[in-house]
Amino acid sequence: YDRLLDMLAELENKYNFRLSNSPTKEVGAEALSELQKKIHKYRLYSLNKTKTVKNLQDLAGPHQVIVSPKLDGLTICLTYQDGELIQALTRGNGYEGEDVTHNARVFANLPLKIPHKGNLIVSGEAVIKLSDFDLINESLSAEEQYKNPRNLVSGSVRTLDNRKAAKRRIHFYAFALLESEYDFTLKSEQLL
């Protein structure tokens, strides 16, 4: 085990990349007394939901549109500075969100360190997989069970104690690059 752990640490340093669930990460709990609100650098718009082709045509009008599937989770905006995750904010009202960095650091698949110089801002969706949702509900009494994964992930991301968030196996799926050293001329170039 020690040999494999040393090898993993060496690879993480060599490639400047580490996931939040890496065993090389220092274990520790972070509990806050409240979530701080912060202003987004870029406005995070709410996505329109359409149920029919007619709704989509009406929404688009004469314009070309980009259509993407919507994950039913909680929108999060991540900021990396010189490869280190420094901030995670909820969408909030689009202008201001809650700082949930302490919980993002324990998301099951989120890189805490990436090989990138400069600022990188991405938006995406925090979700709890249906299989994990079912396992969580099975461990609860009927009165305590959650109605859907969206409600569970929303509360889990916003909890003050990141030990609770870590147990929920929250995953992050990036869908848009908001800032990097690359120039964007088309919206489609920002999609991940």
Side-chain angles (χ1 to χ4, degrees):
Y1 175 83
D2 289 339
R3 184 176 49 79
L4 291 173
L5 188 64
D6 290 343
M7 187 167 49
L8 177 60
E10 186 179 315
L11 288 170
E12 288 175 341
N13 288 333
K14 179 179 179 181
Y15 293 105
N16 197 25
F17 184 87
R18 185 176 74 203
L19 289 172
S20 60
N21 63 354
S22 172
T24 64
K25 181 177 165 255
E26 291 180 25
V27 177
E30 187 174 350
L32 303 177
S33 59
E34 66 180 38
L35 296 177
Q36 299 293 316
K37 293 194 179 218
K38 295 190 177 174
I39 303 296
H40 290 290
K41 185 170 183 180
Y42 302 96
R43 182 174 175 202
L44 296 180
Y45 291 91
S46 179
L47 298 175
N48 284 335
K49 297 174 188 155
T50 59
K51 306 246 186 247
T52 67
V53 172
K54 171 99 171 81
N55 289 142
L56 182 59
Q57 289 169 335
D58 291 345
L59 177 68
H63 307 288
Q64 284 189 320
V65 295
I66 299 169
V67 179
S68 65
K70 166 78 168 79
L71 294 173
D72 197 17
L74 186 67
T75 299
I76 303 286
C77 184
L78 302 176
T79 302
Y80 288 87
Q81 189 171 60
D82 290 328
E84 297 282 339
L85 176 68
I86 62 164
Q87 182 172 269
L89 299 178
T90 63
R91 181 186 168 277
N93 64 12
Y95 296 101
E96 179 182 67
E98 292 174 310
D99 189 334
V100 292
T101 308
H102 68 296
N103 286 331
R105 292 185 188 284
V106 297
F107 287 1
N109 66 332
L110 185 68
L112 300 177
K113 189 174 183 179
I114 58 174
H116 186 276
K117 295 294 179 203
N119 287 339
L120 180 73
I121 302 175
V122 298
S123 62
E125 204 77 1
V127 300
I128 292 178
K129 294 179 179 181
L130 193 54
S131 57
D132 290 327
F133 172 75
D134 290 339
L135 286 173
I136 291 166
N137 265 350
E138 286 173 11
S139 71
L140 302 172
S141 70
E143 299 82 36
E144 296 174 306
Q145 289 185 355
Y146 295 90
K147 291 193 183 282
N148 58 58
R150 166 69 173 80
N151 289 353
L152 178 57
V153 75
S154 179
S156 299
V157 168
R158 298 180 68 249
T159 186
L160 298 175
D161 186 346
N162 75 348
R163 289 174 293 195
K164 291 179 184 175
K167 290 178 184 174
R168 300 288 168 81
R169 295 201 30 84
I170 300 164
H171 287 75
F172 179 80
Y173 296 96
F175 56 73
L177 188 58
L178 303 178
E179 180 180 307
S180 78
E181 70 275 9
Y182 303 108
D183 290 327
F184 307 118
T185 54
L186 299 172
K187 178 67 177 170
S188 60
E189 294 173 333
Q190 290 179 266
L191 300 178
L192 301 171

